[in-house]
Amino acid sequence: MKEEIVNPALAAINATKNQPRILQGWAFFDWANSAYALVITVAIFPGYFLHITADKVKILGLTISDSALYSYSLSFAYLLIALVSPLLSGIADYAGRKKSFLRFFTTLGAMACMGLLFFTNMHTLWIGVSCFILATIGFSGGLVFYNAFLPEIATEDRYDKVSATGFSYGFAGSIILLVTNLVIIQNFAWFGFSESLKAVPVAFVMVGLWWLGFAQIPFRRLPEDARHPYSKHMMKHGYEEVKLIAARVLAQPNMLRFLSAFFFANAGTQSVLYLASIFAEKELHFNTSNLIVLILILQIVGIGGAYFFAWVSSKRGNKFALVSMLFVWTLICFGAYVVKTGLDFYFLAACVGLVMGGMQSLARATYAKLLPENTPDTASYFSFYDILDKLSTVMGTFVFGLIETISGGMRNSVLSLAVFFVISIFIMWKVKVTRNLA
């Protein structure tokens, strides 16, 4: 029998795949950083930001509302990440620095998050805005390298299961910390605070410590960096890949239609998710406890919604499920425009939860079905998809802030998001969910 020749480098890579300890360590990063996504960007910091800042703020000679400033801060953070993410992807692929950069962005995000402790009044507004932007960059930048580890630690047949495990870890961890924060804020006197507002910054420190602390698990378990030397080609590779995929998309009208529909839908979806708390606090006068209950509704209903629309998709197809969710999103925007009471808004939150998880998961699954069959560079296609995700978030949050600045009301901003969903419905209606054989 002829002896099989084994490539030592390939054998070393395969030896790290599908190891339970490594896979669990990878999933723990989701447990660590999801606390920021839920507690800071959605649940607690938005309301605190509005309480601390004046209704009108002067920035670079312009007078804007505090909620518009919050929207623009999100836009700026995601714009920076969208611009540099191809560079980061190129480094992750060719420089062998995934763990180093994962550690850097995690540390940046966690430290910036803890820095929000010093944002206590208008005199420290610059600290609040700067730390929020840096923390968002740390969160989004870290995800680039976190995702890049998946093909290195798991075989392709395990991607879905491993990814789902990370999601479940993230959901569980963020809920545990959010409930803990709720207990502290609700019972502020137990912890020596004179009012609930003064207890809120404790949550920022707890998120930073949770994020950085639990991230040590993946830092210890994930494979070490290969550390290849830097090169000019490596630095340009990510941008060249984006140009290549963009050219391919332009040559495939059906995929171009889907990505256009996704761009508008995601602009509306992400804006609702990020700015729902701001709207509830400013227009309906929700307090921090109300906002946390609101987010819990979103998270819990979101799980059922994702399974429900997966079932709808299996019965009626991806396009039917996506268009149905887009229609619900449109109604949510009109409902938010006229809502008057907190109880009505809780109902809207349940509706958002119903379509939130399903929209994101089904859009990504549909995109995978539209990729050319047997394409060897699915990672490049999804890198392009990720950039569109971030750019659409920039557009949605920026338009939200701009409409409020021009019209003077957040309800008009919410109504403007309905336009994104209507445009997406018309484009999505023309999409054929069939794999491209080119």
Side-chain angles (χ1 to χ4, degrees):
M1 178 180 284
K2 194 173 184 178
E3 186 176 348
E4 184 179 359
I5 299 175
V6 179
N7 184 321
L10 184 60
I13 293 174
N14 289 333
T16 65
K17 291 190 174 183
N18 298 338
Q19 293 188 17
R21 186 173 182 275
I22 294 177
L23 296 180
Q24 186 185 51
W26 182 85
F28 255 106
F29 188 79
D30 219 323
W31 171 285
N33 76 341
S34 290
Y36 173 79
L38 180 61
V39 178
I40 302 298
T41 61
V42 180
I44 295 181
F45 182 69
Y48 180 80
F49 184 87
L50 294 186
H51 277 292
I52 294 298
T53 55
D55 290 340
K56 296 295 180 181
V57 181
K58 284 190 176 182
I59 299 290
L60 302 176
L62 299 174
T63 300
I64 59 176
S65 69
D66 51 356
S67 50
L69 175 60
Y70 183 87
S71 300
Y72 293 149
S73 298
L74 278 170
S75 302
F76 182 69
Y78 275 96
L79 179 60
L80 285 179
I81 288 296
L83 292 176
V84 302
S85 60
L87 172 63
L88 300 180
S89 298
I91 294 174
D93 290 340
Y94 287 89
R97 299 292 201 282
K98 286 193 287 289
K99 184 183 282 191
S100 297
F101 279 89
L102 182 64
R103 184 179 284 110
F104 168 78
F105 280 102
T106 297
T107 304
L108 172 67
M111 296 302 293
C113 189
M114 288 187 279
L116 292 172
L117 175 69
F118 303 102
F119 172 42
T120 56
N121 51 50
M122 281 297 293
H123 296 296
T124 54
L125 177 61
W126 66 275
I127 295 179
V129 172
S130 299
C131 286
F132 179 53
I133 291 174
L134 289 174
T136 303
I137 290 173
F139 173 77
S140 299
L143 285 177
V144 174
F145 300 98
Y146 171 61
N147 293 332
F149 264 111
L150 185 57
E152 187 174 329
I153 64 173
T155 52
E156 187 172 350
D157 61 304
R158 301 282 298 274
Y159 286 177
D160 290 348
K161 183 177 180 181
V162 174
S163 181
T165 300
F167 174 82
S168 63
Y169 272 42
F171 173 79
S174 58
I175 288 295
I176 289 172
L177 188 56
L178 182 59
V179 171
T180 303
N181 295 146
L182 176 60
V183 170
I184 294 174
I185 293 169
Q186 286 276 54
N187 304 282
F188 58 89
W190 295 359
F191 302 92
F193 297 103
S194 58
E195 57 178 307
S196 60
L197 188 64
K198 293 186 181 299
V200 171
V202 173
F204 308 150
V205 176
M206 290 180 66
V207 169
L209 292 174
W210 178 286
W211 189 356
L212 191 59
F214 281 108
Q216 301 309 310
I217 297 175
F219 290 164
R220 292 180 180 180
R221 297 187 184 183
L222 289 173
E224 294 300 322
D225 289 333
R227 292 190 172 275
H228 305 303
Y230 287 102
S231 68
K232 292 182 179 179
H233 176 73
M234 173 205 72
M235 304 296 280
K236 297 187 299 182
H237 174 77
Y239 294 102
E240 291 171 350
E241 284 293 308
V242 171
K243 289 173 61 178
L244 175 64
I245 298 302
R248 291 181 182 176
V249 168
L250 289 173
Q252 301 173 35
N254 192 50
M255 182 179 286
L256 179 61
R257 282 192 291 269
F258 172 77
L259 288 176
S260 299
F262 164 76
F263 184 87
F264 286 104
N266 196 64
T269 300
Q270 296 302 321
S271 298
V272 171
L273 296 181
Y274 279 123
L275 300 169
S277 296
I278 289 281
F279 180 89
E281 199 281 335
K282 198 165 188 178
E283 295 290 335
L284 301 175
H285 309 294
F286 273 36
N287 57 34
T288 301
S289 300
N290 297 140
L291 291 175
I292 292 177
V293 172
L294 174 71
I295 302 308
L296 289 174
I297 291 174
L298 286 174
Q299 292 290 104
I300 294 171
V301 178
I303 297 175
Y307 284 110
F308 173 73
F309 279 103
W311 175 80
V312 171
S313 176
S314 68
K315 297 296 183 181
R316 299 295 302 274
N318 290 51
K319 187 169 78 170
F320 178 86
L322 286 169
V323 171
S324 298
M325 284 186 283
L326 288 169
F327 182 72
V328 174
W329 276 113
T330 306
L331 293 179
I332 288 170
C333 292
F334 282 107
Y337 180 76
V338 300
V339 68
K340 297 296 183 183
T341 69
L343 185 61
D344 293 339
F345 197 72
Y346 281 134
F347 174 75
L348 282 179
C351 293
V352 170
L354 181 66
V355 292
M356 175 181 65
M359 190 73 202
Q360 294 173 322
S361 61
L362 197 56
R364 194 173 184 88
T366 304
Y367 180 63
K369 292 183 179 181
L370 296 176
L371 296 182
E373 191 171 17
N374 298 321
T375 181
D377 50 359
T378 56
S380 297
Y381 273 99
F382 275 103
S383 178
F384 183 75
Y385 181 88
D386 184 63
I387 291 172
L388 288 181
D389 184 321
K390 290 178 172 61
L391 288 176
S392 62
T393 301
V394 172
M395 185 181 77
T397 53
F398 180 80
V399 168
F400 191 96
L402 182 63
I403 295 297
E404 184 191 355
T405 301
I406 294 173
S407 67
M410 291 187 72
R411 292 181 185 272
N412 296 322
S413 297
V414 172
L415 193 60
S416 70
L417 297 181
V419 176
F420 291 147
F421 293 119
V422 171
I423 292 174
S424 183
I425 289 173
F426 279 108
I427 301 175
M428 188 70 74
W429 199 258
K430 299 180 180 180
V431 174
K432 296 180 180 178
V433 186
T434 55
R435 185 176 287 277
N436 192 321
L437 300 179

